[in-house]
Amino acid sequence: SAVISQKPSRDICQRGTSLTIQCQVDSQVTMMFWYRQQPGQSLTLIATANQGSEATYESGFVIDKFPISRPNLTFSTLTVSNLSPEDSSIYLCSVSEPQETQYFGPGTRLLVL
Amino acid sequence: GNSVTQMEGPVTLSEEAFLTINCTYTATGYPSLFWYVQYPGEGLQLLLKATKADDKGSNKGFEATYRKETTSFHLEKGSVQVSDSAVYFCALRLNSGYSTLTFGKGTMLLVSP
């Protein structure tokens, strides 16, 4: 199984600022995903980030708001830009090999004031 | 499209009671089915999975059987513990290529002593 860490684990940010979340995996993985979990809600996929290619965004999510980097097979960052209170959520990193078990990080809890 | 429907929560039980959390799905192809659990303040953990019809996934006393005829994957446990209190997510993933998980809305389980 993959062990995933995320930094920061939580943060409180002012509106209009940005937050960059880091995701580190203890082994090389092909697929990395970023999810958002709004309070009391299920998980919504933001984008898929495969190394060596541009991130693929789901409907309703755009690169200007959620830029993603995937510089190598063990690391990715998600930036949430121009923060508003509606961005207050848990952001989860997830990894998988094609058709293998998908593992999740512990999440980053963001509160925007 | 693909979707997962779970029973509304919270489900409130006394310790040692029998648990059922209903999950049904619609899918455009042949999916694998999963149950993930999220303990308070943590990320998601894979609880069990089944990859084809009539498979039974099991772990930690929990079971779920992949029923293609009823498109269901209900989660059961014969005797719940206080430590089982968590949010349970049913999910599917198509068995093709770089497919990702589609989650249900989650069902909160509260077990009292």
Side-chain angles (χ1 to χ4, degrees), chain A residues 30-31 33 35 37 42-43 45 48 92 96 98-102 104-106 109, chain B residues 36 38 41-43 46 49 89 93-98 100-101 103-105:
Chain A
T30 301
M31 304 165 73
F33 311 95
Y35 288 82
Q37 185 179 21
S42 186
L43 282 74
L45 182 65
T48 302
L92 292 141
S96 172
Q99 297 303 303
E100 298 293 325
T101 297
Q102 193 166 333
F104 287 80
R109 286 151 181 78
Chain B
Y36 280 82
Q38 186 176 33
E42 299 184 12
L46 178 65
K49 67 178 182 181
F89 292 94
R93 186 180 66 195
L94 294 181
N95 290 325
S96 61
Y98 289 70
T100 60
L101 292 166
F103 284 94
K105 292 187 175 182

PDB file of all heavy atoms in Angstrom, chain A residues 30-31 33 35 37 42-43 45 48 92 96 98-102 104-106 109, chain B residues 36 38 41-43 46 49 89 93-98 100-101 103-105:
ATOM      1  N   THR A  30       1.622   6.181 -10.710  1.00  0.00           N
ATOM      2  CA  THR A  30       1.264   6.714 -12.017  1.00  0.00           C
ATOM      3  C   THR A  30       0.238   7.841 -11.907  1.00  0.00           C
ATOM      4  O   THR A  30       0.378   8.900 -12.481  1.00  0.00           O
ATOM      5  CB  THR A  30       0.708   5.592 -12.909  1.00  0.00           C
ATOM      6  OG1 THR A  30       1.706   4.580 -13.049  1.00  0.00           O
ATOM      7  CG2 THR A  30       0.316   6.121 -14.279  1.00  0.00           C
ATOM      8  N   MET A  31      -0.827   7.578 -11.157  1.00  0.00           N
ATOM      9  CA  MET A  31      -1.959   8.497 -11.139  1.00  0.00           C
ATOM     10  C   MET A  31      -2.054   9.179  -9.778  1.00  0.00           C
ATOM     11  O   MET A  31      -1.973   8.527  -8.733  1.00  0.00           O
ATOM     12  CB  MET A  31      -3.263   7.735 -11.416  1.00  0.00           C
ATOM     13  CG  MET A  31      -3.231   6.960 -12.732  1.00  0.00           C
ATOM     14  SD  MET A  31      -4.546   5.750 -12.872  1.00  0.00           S
ATOM     15  CE  MET A  31      -5.954   6.823 -13.134  1.00  0.00           C
ATOM     16  N   PHE A  33      -4.586  12.133  -7.807  1.00  0.00           N
ATOM     17  CA  PHE A  33      -5.863  12.824  -7.894  1.00  0.00           C
ATOM     18  C   PHE A  33      -5.981  13.833  -6.756  1.00  0.00           C
ATOM     19  O   PHE A  33      -5.475  13.611  -5.662  1.00  0.00           O
ATOM     20  CB  PHE A  33      -7.026  11.830  -7.769  1.00  0.00           C
ATOM     21  CG  PHE A  33      -6.924  10.621  -8.649  1.00  0.00           C
ATOM     22  CD1 PHE A  33      -6.384   9.443  -8.167  1.00  0.00           C
ATOM     23  CD2 PHE A  33      -7.379  10.660  -9.950  1.00  0.00           C
ATOM     24  CE1 PHE A  33      -6.288   8.320  -8.965  1.00  0.00           C
ATOM     25  CE2 PHE A  33      -7.290   9.539 -10.754  1.00  0.00           C
ATOM     26  CZ  PHE A  33      -6.745   8.368 -10.263  1.00  0.00           C
ATOM     27  N   TYR A  35      -9.058  15.780  -4.646  1.00  0.00           N
ATOM     28  CA  TYR A  35     -10.483  15.817  -4.361  1.00  0.00           C
ATOM     29  C   TYR A  35     -10.781  16.962  -3.395  1.00  0.00           C
ATOM     30  O   TYR A  35      -9.935  17.355  -2.588  1.00  0.00           O
ATOM     31  CB  TYR A  35     -10.948  14.523  -3.687  1.00  0.00           C
ATOM     32  CG  TYR A  35     -11.006  13.303  -4.561  1.00  0.00           C
ATOM     33  CD1 TYR A  35      -9.865  12.550  -4.819  1.00  0.00           C
ATOM     34  CD2 TYR A  35     -12.216  12.882  -5.113  1.00  0.00           C
ATOM     35  CE1 TYR A  35      -9.922  11.415  -5.612  1.00  0.00           C
ATOM     36  CE2 TYR A  35     -12.281  11.737  -5.904  1.00  0.00           C
ATOM     37  CZ  TYR A  35     -11.129  11.011  -6.143  1.00  0.00           C
ATOM     38  OH  TYR A  35     -11.186   9.882  -6.919  1.00  0.00           O
ATOM     39  N   GLN A  37     -13.697  17.924  -0.417  1.00  0.00           N
ATOM     40  CA  GLN A  37     -14.797  17.420   0.395  1.00  0.00           C
ATOM     41  C   GLN A  37     -15.340  18.589   1.194  1.00  0.00           C
ATOM     42  O   GLN A  37     -14.750  18.994   2.212  1.00  0.00           O
ATOM     43  CB  GLN A  37     -14.328  16.294   1.318  1.00  0.00           C
ATOM     44  CG  GLN A  37     -15.464  15.656   2.095  1.00  0.00           C
ATOM     45  CD  GLN A  37     -15.006  14.528   2.999  1.00  0.00           C
ATOM     46  OE1 GLN A  37     -13.825  14.435   3.360  1.00  0.00           O
ATOM     47  NE2 GLN A  37     -15.927  13.652   3.371  1.00  0.00           N
ATOM     48  N   SER A  42     -19.867  14.591   0.191  1.00  0.00           N
ATOM     49  CA  SER A  42     -19.019  13.541  -0.348  1.00  0.00           C
ATOM     50  C   SER A  42     -17.794  14.150  -1.023  1.00  0.00           C
ATOM     51  O   SER A  42     -17.569  15.361  -0.985  1.00  0.00           O
ATOM     52  CB  SER A  42     -19.823  12.709  -1.343  1.00  0.00           C
ATOM     53  OG  SER A  42     -19.054  11.601  -1.774  1.00  0.00           O
ATOM     54  N   LEU A  43     -17.013  13.302  -1.645  1.00  0.00           N
ATOM     55  CA  LEU A  43     -15.808  13.752  -2.323  1.00  0.00           C
ATOM     56  C   LEU A  43     -16.122  14.104  -3.776  1.00  0.00           C
ATOM     57  O   LEU A  43     -16.800  13.343  -4.470  1.00  0.00           O
ATOM     58  CB  LEU A  43     -14.752  12.651  -2.304  1.00  0.00           C
ATOM     59  CG  LEU A  43     -14.001  12.462  -1.010  1.00  0.00           C
ATOM     60  CD1 LEU A  43     -14.862  11.790   0.038  1.00  0.00           C
ATOM     61  CD2 LEU A  43     -12.720  11.675  -1.247  1.00  0.00           C
ATOM     62  N   LEU A  45     -14.128  15.042  -7.326  1.00  0.00           N
ATOM     63  CA  LEU A  45     -12.840  15.047  -7.999  1.00  0.00           C
ATOM     64  C   LEU A  45     -12.584  16.399  -8.641  1.00  0.00           C
ATOM     65  O   LEU A  45     -13.428  16.891  -9.412  1.00  0.00           O
ATOM     66  CB  LEU A  45     -12.804  13.937  -9.057  1.00  0.00           C
ATOM     67  CG  LEU A  45     -11.507  13.774  -9.837  1.00  0.00           C
ATOM     68  CD1 LEU A  45     -10.368  13.340  -8.920  1.00  0.00           C
ATOM     69  CD2 LEU A  45     -11.691  12.769 -10.972  1.00  0.00           C
ATOM     70  N   THR A  48      -7.144  15.150 -12.232  1.00  0.00           N
ATOM     71  CA  THR A  48      -6.212  14.030 -12.272  1.00  0.00           C
ATOM     72  C   THR A  48      -4.873  14.551 -12.767  1.00  0.00           C
ATOM     73  O   THR A  48      -4.812  15.265 -13.782  1.00  0.00           O
ATOM     74  CB  THR A  48      -6.720  12.934 -13.221  1.00  0.00           C
ATOM     75  OG1 THR A  48      -8.011  12.501 -12.772  1.00  0.00           O
ATOM     76  CG2 THR A  48      -5.771  11.761 -13.258  1.00  0.00           C
ATOM     77  N   LEU A  92      -8.172  16.530  -0.477  1.00  0.00           N
ATOM     78  CA  LEU A  92      -7.564  15.207  -0.319  1.00  0.00           C
ATOM     79  C   LEU A  92      -6.772  14.835  -1.560  1.00  0.00           C
ATOM     80  O   LEU A  92      -7.262  14.963  -2.691  1.00  0.00           O
ATOM     81  CB  LEU A  92      -8.641  14.154  -0.094  1.00  0.00           C
ATOM     82  CG  LEU A  92      -9.374  14.261   1.236  1.00  0.00           C
ATOM     83  CD1 LEU A  92     -10.837  13.971   1.067  1.00  0.00           C
ATOM     84  CD2 LEU A  92      -8.772  13.292   2.237  1.00  0.00           C
ATOM     85  N   SER A  96      -3.008   6.105  -7.271  1.00  0.00           N
ATOM     86  CA  SER A  96      -3.393   4.783  -7.754  1.00  0.00           C
ATOM     87  C   SER A  96      -2.534   4.398  -8.946  1.00  0.00           C
ATOM     88  O   SER A  96      -2.050   5.277  -9.665  1.00  0.00           O
ATOM     89  CB  SER A  96      -4.870   4.800  -8.165  1.00  0.00           C
ATOM     90  OG  SER A  96      -5.255   3.618  -8.798  1.00  0.00           O
ATOM     91  N   PRO A  98      -3.256   2.212 -12.492  1.00  0.00           N
ATOM     92  CA  PRO A  98      -4.469   1.883 -13.239  1.00  0.00           C
ATOM     93  C   PRO A  98      -5.064   0.562 -12.772  1.00  0.00           C
ATOM     94  O   PRO A  98      -4.390  -0.460 -12.727  1.00  0.00           O
ATOM     95  CB  PRO A  98      -3.996   1.813 -14.681  1.00  0.00           C
ATOM     96  CG  PRO A  98      -2.816   2.710 -14.723  1.00  0.00           C
ATOM     97  CD  PRO A  98      -2.140   2.559 -13.388  1.00  0.00           C
ATOM     98  N   GLN A  99      -6.315   0.617 -12.397  1.00  0.00           N
ATOM     99  CA  GLN A  99      -7.096  -0.560 -11.980  1.00  0.00           C
ATOM    100  C   GLN A  99      -6.604  -1.179 -10.667  1.00  0.00           C
ATOM    101  O   GLN A  99      -7.004  -2.287 -10.319  1.00  0.00           O
ATOM    102  CB  GLN A  99      -7.117  -1.611 -13.086  1.00  0.00           C
ATOM    103  CG  GLN A  99      -7.805  -1.115 -14.348  1.00  0.00           C
ATOM    104  CD  GLN A  99      -9.226  -0.660 -14.087  1.00  0.00           C
ATOM    105  OE1 GLN A  99     -10.057  -1.410 -13.593  1.00  0.00           O
ATOM    106  NE2 GLN A  99      -9.533   0.612 -14.393  1.00  0.00           N
ATOM    107  N   GLU A 100      -5.776  -0.460  -9.938  1.00  0.00           N
ATOM    108  CA  GLU A 100      -5.349  -0.924  -8.617  1.00  0.00           C
ATOM    109  C   GLU A 100      -6.061  -0.114  -7.535  1.00  0.00           C
ATOM    110  O   GLU A 100      -6.771   0.850  -7.823  1.00  0.00           O
ATOM    111  CB  GLU A 100      -3.831  -0.781  -8.467  1.00  0.00           C
ATOM    112  CG  GLU A 100      -3.032  -1.614  -9.447  1.00  0.00           C
ATOM    113  CD  GLU A 100      -3.174  -3.095  -9.195  1.00  0.00           C
ATOM    114  OE1 GLU A 100      -3.283  -3.488  -8.013  1.00  0.00           O
ATOM    115  OE2 GLU A 100      -3.191  -3.849 -10.179  1.00  0.00           O
ATOM    116  N   THR A 101      -5.878  -0.511  -6.291  1.00  0.00           N
ATOM    117  CA  THR A 101      -6.520   0.168  -5.165  1.00  0.00           C
ATOM    118  C   THR A 101      -6.120   1.638  -5.120  1.00  0.00           C
ATOM    119  O   THR A 101      -4.960   1.984  -5.334  1.00  0.00           O
ATOM    120  CB  THR A 101      -6.141  -0.520  -3.850  1.00  0.00           C
ATOM    121  OG1 THR A 101      -6.635  -1.862  -3.877  1.00  0.00           O
ATOM    122  CG2 THR A 101      -6.750   0.211  -2.661  1.00  0.00           C
ATOM    123  N   GLN A 102      -7.067   2.500  -4.846  1.00  0.00           N
ATOM    124  CA  GLN A 102      -6.817   3.924  -4.738  1.00  0.00           C
ATOM    125  C   GLN A 102      -6.663   4.274  -3.262  1.00  0.00           C
ATOM    126  O   GLN A 102      -7.520   3.948  -2.440  1.00  0.00           O
ATOM    127  CB  GLN A 102      -7.973   4.705  -5.363  1.00  0.00           C
ATOM    128  CG  GLN A 102      -7.697   6.156  -5.575  1.00  0.00           C
ATOM    129  CD  GLN A 102      -8.718   6.806  -6.500  1.00  0.00           C
ATOM    130  OE1 GLN A 102      -9.310   6.155  -7.357  1.00  0.00           O
ATOM    131  NE2 GLN A 102      -8.923   8.101  -6.313  1.00  0.00           N
ATOM    132  N   PHE A 104      -5.719   7.206  -0.154  1.00  0.00           N
ATOM    133  CA  PHE A 104      -5.970   8.607   0.138  1.00  0.00           C
ATOM    134  C   PHE A 104      -5.028   9.119   1.219  1.00  0.00           C
ATOM    135  O   PHE A 104      -4.659   8.388   2.149  1.00  0.00           O
ATOM    136  CB  PHE A 104      -7.408   8.805   0.613  1.00  0.00           C
ATOM    137  CG  PHE A 104      -8.412   8.686  -0.494  1.00  0.00           C
ATOM    138  CD1 PHE A 104      -8.828   7.443  -0.939  1.00  0.00           C
ATOM    139  CD2 PHE A 104      -8.901   9.819  -1.122  1.00  0.00           C
ATOM    140  CE1 PHE A 104      -9.747   7.338  -1.987  1.00  0.00           C
ATOM    141  CE2 PHE A 104      -9.815   9.718  -2.162  1.00  0.00           C
ATOM    142  CZ  PHE A 104     -10.230   8.475  -2.593  1.00  0.00           C
ATOM    143  N   GLY A 105      -4.666  10.389   1.084  1.00  0.00           N
ATOM    144  CA  GLY A 105      -3.941  11.063   2.134  1.00  0.00           C
ATOM    145  C   GLY A 105      -4.872  11.485   3.252  1.00  0.00           C
ATOM    146  O   GLY A 105      -6.092  11.344   3.152  1.00  0.00           O
ATOM    147  N   PRO A 106      -4.300  12.049   4.318  1.00  0.00           N
ATOM    148  CA  PRO A 106      -5.100  12.422   5.493  1.00  0.00           C
ATOM    149  C   PRO A 106      -5.936  13.677   5.292  1.00  0.00           C
ATOM    150  O   PRO A 106      -6.803  13.979   6.103  1.00  0.00           O
ATOM    151  CB  PRO A 106      -4.052  12.639   6.572  1.00  0.00           C
ATOM    152  CG  PRO A 106      -2.826  13.018   5.813  1.00  0.00           C
ATOM    153  CD  PRO A 106      -2.869  12.263   4.537  1.00  0.00           C
ATOM    154  N   ARG A 109      -7.268  20.540   5.840  1.00  0.00           N
ATOM    155  CA  ARG A 109      -8.485  21.245   6.234  1.00  0.00           C
ATOM    156  C   ARG A 109      -8.264  22.735   6.105  1.00  0.00           C
ATOM    157  O   ARG A 109      -7.405  23.304   6.782  1.00  0.00           O
ATOM    158  CB  ARG A 109      -8.875  20.864   7.668  1.00  0.00           C
ATOM    159  CG  ARG A 109      -9.460  19.481   7.731  1.00  0.00           C
ATOM    160  CD  ARG A 109      -9.248  18.779   9.038  1.00  0.00           C
ATOM    161  NE  ARG A 109      -9.836  17.446   8.992  1.00  0.00           N
ATOM    162  CZ  ARG A 109      -9.298  16.394   8.389  1.00  0.00           C
ATOM    163  NH1 ARG A 109      -8.133  16.492   7.795  1.00  0.00           N
ATOM    164  NH2 ARG A 109      -9.919  15.228   8.386  1.00  0.00           N
TER     165      ARG A 109
ATOM    166  N   TYR B  36     -15.335   2.638   1.410  1.00  0.00           N
ATOM    167  CA  TYR B  36     -14.291   3.361   2.123  1.00  0.00           C
ATOM    168  C   TYR B  36     -14.876   3.864   3.440  1.00  0.00           C
ATOM    169  O   TYR B  36     -16.075   4.153   3.532  1.00  0.00           O
ATOM    170  CB  TYR B  36     -13.797   4.562   1.314  1.00  0.00           C
ATOM    171  CG  TYR B  36     -12.807   4.225   0.221  1.00  0.00           C
ATOM    172  CD1 TYR B  36     -13.238   3.747  -1.018  1.00  0.00           C
ATOM    173  CD2 TYR B  36     -11.438   4.379   0.415  1.00  0.00           C
ATOM    174  CE1 TYR B  36     -12.327   3.442  -2.025  1.00  0.00           C
ATOM    175  CE2 TYR B  36     -10.525   4.078  -0.580  1.00  0.00           C
ATOM    176  CZ  TYR B  36     -10.975   3.613  -1.794  1.00  0.00           C
ATOM    177  OH  TYR B  36     -10.068   3.314  -2.799  1.00  0.00           O
ATOM    178  N   GLN B  38     -14.233   6.728   6.668  1.00  0.00           N
ATOM    179  CA  GLN B  38     -13.546   7.946   7.109  1.00  0.00           C
ATOM    180  C   GLN B  38     -13.830   8.157   8.578  1.00  0.00           C
ATOM    181  O   GLN B  38     -14.938   8.538   8.959  1.00  0.00           O
ATOM    182  CB  GLN B  38     -14.004   9.152   6.289  1.00  0.00           C
ATOM    183  CG  GLN B  38     -13.233  10.429   6.582  1.00  0.00           C
ATOM    184  CD  GLN B  38     -13.651  11.577   5.687  1.00  0.00           C
ATOM    185  OE1 GLN B  38     -14.803  11.692   5.301  1.00  0.00           O
ATOM    186  NE2 GLN B  38     -12.697  12.435   5.340  1.00  0.00           N
ATOM    187  N   GLY B  41     -11.823  13.231  11.570  1.00  0.00           N
ATOM    188  CA  GLY B  41     -10.566  13.951  11.440  1.00  0.00           C
ATOM    189  C   GLY B  41      -9.518  13.268  10.585  1.00  0.00           C
ATOM    190  O   GLY B  41      -8.364  13.720  10.547  1.00  0.00           O
ATOM    191  N   GLU B  42      -9.885  12.203   9.887  1.00  0.00           N
ATOM    192  CA  GLU B  42      -8.910  11.472   9.090  1.00  0.00           C
ATOM    193  C   GLU B  42      -9.308  11.421   7.622  1.00  0.00           C
ATOM    194  O   GLU B  42     -10.395  11.842   7.232  1.00  0.00           O
ATOM    195  CB  GLU B  42      -8.764  10.042   9.638  1.00  0.00           C
ATOM    196  CG  GLU B  42      -8.287   9.985  11.075  1.00  0.00           C
ATOM    197  CD  GLU B  42      -8.063   8.566  11.549  1.00  0.00           C
ATOM    198  OE1 GLU B  42      -8.054   7.631  10.710  1.00  0.00           O
ATOM    199  OE2 GLU B  42      -7.889   8.392  12.773  1.00  0.00           O
ATOM    200  N   GLY B  43      -8.395  10.892   6.810  1.00  0.00           N
ATOM    201  CA  GLY B  43      -8.700  10.673   5.400  1.00  0.00           C
ATOM    202  C   GLY B  43      -9.468   9.383   5.209  1.00  0.00           C
ATOM    203  O   GLY B  43      -9.892   8.746   6.177  1.00  0.00           O
ATOM    204  N   LEU B  46      -9.611   2.364   2.579  1.00  0.00           N
ATOM    205  CA  LEU B  46     -10.353   1.300   1.919  1.00  0.00           C
ATOM    206  C   LEU B  46     -10.774   0.268   2.950  1.00  0.00           C
ATOM    207  O   LEU B  46      -9.945  -0.252   3.703  1.00  0.00           O
ATOM    208  CB  LEU B  46      -9.490   0.638   0.848  1.00  0.00           C
ATOM    209  CG  LEU B  46     -10.135  -0.536   0.119  1.00  0.00           C
ATOM    210  CD1 LEU B  46     -11.341  -0.065  -0.691  1.00  0.00           C
ATOM    211  CD2 LEU B  46      -9.125  -1.222  -0.791  1.00  0.00           C
ATOM    212  N   LYS B  49     -13.594  -4.389  -0.972  1.00  0.00           N
ATOM    213  CA  LYS B  49     -13.919  -4.195  -2.375  1.00  0.00           C
ATOM    214  C   LYS B  49     -14.360  -5.513  -3.006  1.00  0.00           C
ATOM    215  O   LYS B  49     -14.116  -6.596  -2.453  1.00  0.00           O
ATOM    216  CB  LYS B  49     -12.727  -3.641  -3.143  1.00  0.00           C
ATOM    217  CG  LYS B  49     -11.558  -4.611  -3.249  1.00  0.00           C
ATOM    218  CD  LYS B  49     -10.429  -3.994  -4.062  1.00  0.00           C
ATOM    219  CE  LYS B  49      -9.270  -4.977  -4.208  1.00  0.00           C
ATOM    220  NZ  LYS B  49      -8.141  -4.384  -4.988  1.00  0.00           N
ATOM    221  N   PHE B  89     -18.412   5.421   2.844  1.00  0.00           N
ATOM    222  CA  PHE B  89     -18.644   5.825   1.456  1.00  0.00           C
ATOM    223  C   PHE B  89     -18.633   4.599   0.561  1.00  0.00           C
ATOM    224  O   PHE B  89     -17.687   3.818   0.566  1.00  0.00           O
ATOM    225  CB  PHE B  89     -17.551   6.773   0.977  1.00  0.00           C
ATOM    226  CG  PHE B  89     -17.560   8.116   1.626  1.00  0.00           C
ATOM    227  CD1 PHE B  89     -16.785   8.371   2.741  1.00  0.00           C
ATOM    228  CD2 PHE B  89     -18.334   9.153   1.115  1.00  0.00           C
ATOM    229  CE1 PHE B  89     -16.779   9.618   3.347  1.00  0.00           C
ATOM    230  CE2 PHE B  89     -18.336  10.404   1.711  1.00  0.00           C
ATOM    231  CZ  PHE B  89     -17.568  10.635   2.822  1.00  0.00           C
ATOM    232  N   ARG B  93     -15.823   2.060  -9.625  1.00  0.00           N
ATOM    233  CA  ARG B  93     -14.834   2.436 -10.628  1.00  0.00           C
ATOM    234  C   ARG B  93     -14.968   1.471 -11.790  1.00  0.00           C
ATOM    235  O   ARG B  93     -15.014   0.264 -11.604  1.00  0.00           O
ATOM    236  CB  ARG B  93     -13.416   2.365 -10.064  1.00  0.00           C
ATOM    237  CG  ARG B  93     -12.345   2.880 -11.030  1.00  0.00           C
ATOM    238  CD  ARG B  93     -10.967   2.796 -10.415  1.00  0.00           C
ATOM    239  NE  ARG B  93     -10.574   1.409 -10.190  1.00  0.00           N
ATOM    240  CZ  ARG B  93      -9.563   1.051  -9.417  1.00  0.00           C
ATOM    241  NH1 ARG B  93      -8.852   1.949  -8.779  1.00  0.00           N
ATOM    242  NH2 ARG B  93      -9.267  -0.233  -9.260  1.00  0.00           N
ATOM    243  N   LEU B  94     -15.030   2.027 -12.977  1.00  0.00           N
ATOM    244  CA  LEU B  94     -15.135   1.184 -14.161  1.00  0.00           C
ATOM    245  C   LEU B  94     -13.862   0.382 -14.358  1.00  0.00           C
ATOM    246  O   LEU B  94     -12.759   0.869 -14.078  1.00  0.00           O
ATOM    247  CB  LEU B  94     -15.406   2.042 -15.396  1.00  0.00           C
ATOM    248  CG  LEU B  94     -16.750   2.769 -15.429  1.00  0.00           C
ATOM    249  CD1 LEU B  94     -16.888   3.560 -16.714  1.00  0.00           C
ATOM    250  CD2 LEU B  94     -17.909   1.802 -15.252  1.00  0.00           C
ATOM    251  N   ASN B  95     -14.017  -0.816 -14.845  1.00  0.00           N
ATOM    252  CA  ASN B  95     -12.866  -1.696 -15.039  1.00  0.00           C
ATOM    253  C   ASN B  95     -12.241  -1.464 -16.406  1.00  0.00           C
ATOM    254  O   ASN B  95     -12.169  -2.367 -17.246  1.00  0.00           O
ATOM    255  CB  ASN B  95     -13.307  -3.152 -14.908  1.00  0.00           C
ATOM    256  CG  ASN B  95     -13.672  -3.499 -13.490  1.00  0.00           C
ATOM    257  OD1 ASN B  95     -13.070  -2.991 -12.549  1.00  0.00           O
ATOM    258  ND2 ASN B  95     -14.669  -4.342 -13.329  1.00  0.00           N
ATOM    259  N   SER B  96     -11.800  -0.237 -16.618  1.00  0.00           N
ATOM    260  CA  SER B  96     -11.175   0.063 -17.899  1.00  0.00           C
ATOM    261  C   SER B  96     -10.211   1.223 -17.728  1.00  0.00           C
ATOM    262  O   SER B  96     -10.581   2.276 -17.195  1.00  0.00           O
ATOM    263  CB  SER B  96     -12.235   0.407 -18.948  1.00  0.00           C
ATOM    264  OG  SER B  96     -12.965   1.537 -18.578  1.00  0.00           O
ATOM    265  N   GLY B  97      -8.991   1.011 -18.166  1.00  0.00           N
ATOM    266  CA  GLY B  97      -8.021   2.080 -18.274  1.00  0.00           C
ATOM    267  C   GLY B  97      -7.818   2.891 -17.011  1.00  0.00           C
ATOM    268  O   GLY B  97      -7.716   2.370 -15.906  1.00  0.00           O
ATOM    269  N   TYR B  98      -7.769   4.200 -17.200  1.00  0.00           N
ATOM    270  CA  TYR B  98      -7.427   5.120 -16.129  1.00  0.00           C
ATOM    271  C   TYR B  98      -8.685   5.667 -15.458  1.00  0.00           C
ATOM    272  O   TYR B  98      -8.810   6.849 -15.202  1.00  0.00           O
ATOM    273  CB  TYR B  98      -6.576   6.262 -16.680  1.00  0.00           C
ATOM    274  CG  TYR B  98      -5.179   5.833 -17.068  1.00  0.00           C
ATOM    275  CD1 TYR B  98      -4.961   5.025 -18.166  1.00  0.00           C
ATOM    276  CD2 TYR B  98      -4.089   6.236 -16.315  1.00  0.00           C
ATOM    277  CE1 TYR B  98      -3.685   4.632 -18.512  1.00  0.00           C
ATOM    278  CE2 TYR B  98      -2.804   5.847 -16.646  1.00  0.00           C
ATOM    279  CZ  TYR B  98      -2.612   5.044 -17.752  1.00  0.00           C
ATOM    280  OH  TYR B  98      -1.356   4.657 -18.087  1.00  0.00           O
ATOM    281  N   THR B 100     -11.444   6.522 -12.571  1.00  0.00           N
ATOM    282  CA  THR B 100     -11.351   6.980 -11.191  1.00  0.00           C
ATOM    283  C   THR B 100     -12.622   6.624 -10.441  1.00  0.00           C
ATOM    284  O   THR B 100     -13.621   6.210 -11.019  1.00  0.00           O
ATOM    285  CB  THR B 100     -11.135   8.489 -11.131  1.00  0.00           C
ATOM    286  OG1 THR B 100     -12.247   9.131 -11.759  1.00  0.00           O
ATOM    287  CG2 THR B 100      -9.871   8.898 -11.842  1.00  0.00           C
ATOM    288  N   LEU B 101     -12.584   6.823  -9.137  1.00  0.00           N
ATOM    289  CA  LEU B 101     -13.703   6.471  -8.285  1.00  0.00           C
ATOM    290  C   LEU B 101     -14.849   7.476  -8.406  1.00  0.00           C
ATOM    291  O   LEU B 101     -14.608   8.680  -8.497  1.00  0.00           O
ATOM    292  CB  LEU B 101     -13.258   6.418  -6.825  1.00  0.00           C
ATOM    293  CG  LEU B 101     -12.304   5.279  -6.458  1.00  0.00           C
ATOM    294  CD1 LEU B 101     -11.671   5.542  -5.099  1.00  0.00           C
ATOM    295  CD2 LEU B 101     -13.040   3.956  -6.453  1.00  0.00           C
ATOM    296  N   PHE B 103     -18.049   8.415  -6.029  1.00  0.00           N
ATOM    297  CA  PHE B 103     -18.473   8.178  -4.649  1.00  0.00           C
ATOM    298  C   PHE B 103     -19.960   8.465  -4.450  1.00  0.00           C
ATOM    299  O   PHE B 103     -20.536   9.350  -5.097  1.00  0.00           O
ATOM    300  CB  PHE B 103     -17.704   9.098  -3.703  1.00  0.00           C
ATOM    301  CG  PHE B 103     -16.297   8.669  -3.445  1.00  0.00           C
ATOM    302  CD1 PHE B 103     -15.264   9.176  -4.207  1.00  0.00           C
ATOM    303  CD2 PHE B 103     -16.000   7.754  -2.445  1.00  0.00           C
ATOM    304  CE1 PHE B 103     -13.956   8.782  -3.986  1.00  0.00           C
ATOM    305  CE2 PHE B 103     -14.697   7.356  -2.204  1.00  0.00           C
ATOM    306  CZ  PHE B 103     -13.672   7.877  -2.981  1.00  0.00           C
ATOM    307  N   GLY B 104     -20.545   7.736  -3.504  1.00  0.00           N
ATOM    308  CA  GLY B 104     -21.832   8.126  -2.968  1.00  0.00           C
ATOM    309  C   GLY B 104     -21.656   9.268  -1.978  1.00  0.00           C
ATOM    310  O   GLY B 104     -20.541   9.709  -1.713  1.00  0.00           O
ATOM    311  N   LYS B 105     -22.753   9.720  -1.396  1.00  0.00           N
ATOM    312  CA  LYS B 105     -22.711  10.886  -0.522  1.00  0.00           C
ATOM    313  C   LYS B 105     -22.198  10.576   0.871  1.00  0.00           C
ATOM    314  O   LYS B 105     -21.938  11.498   1.651  1.00  0.00           O
ATOM    315  CB  LYS B 105     -24.098  11.525  -0.439  1.00  0.00           C
ATOM    316  CG  LYS B 105     -24.541  12.164  -1.739  1.00  0.00           C
ATOM    317  CD  LYS B 105     -25.836  12.941  -1.566  1.00  0.00           C
ATOM    318  CE  LYS B 105     -26.188  13.660  -2.860  1.00  0.00           C
ATOM    319  NZ  LYS B 105     -27.432  14.469  -2.724  1.00  0.00           N
TER     320      LYS B 105
END
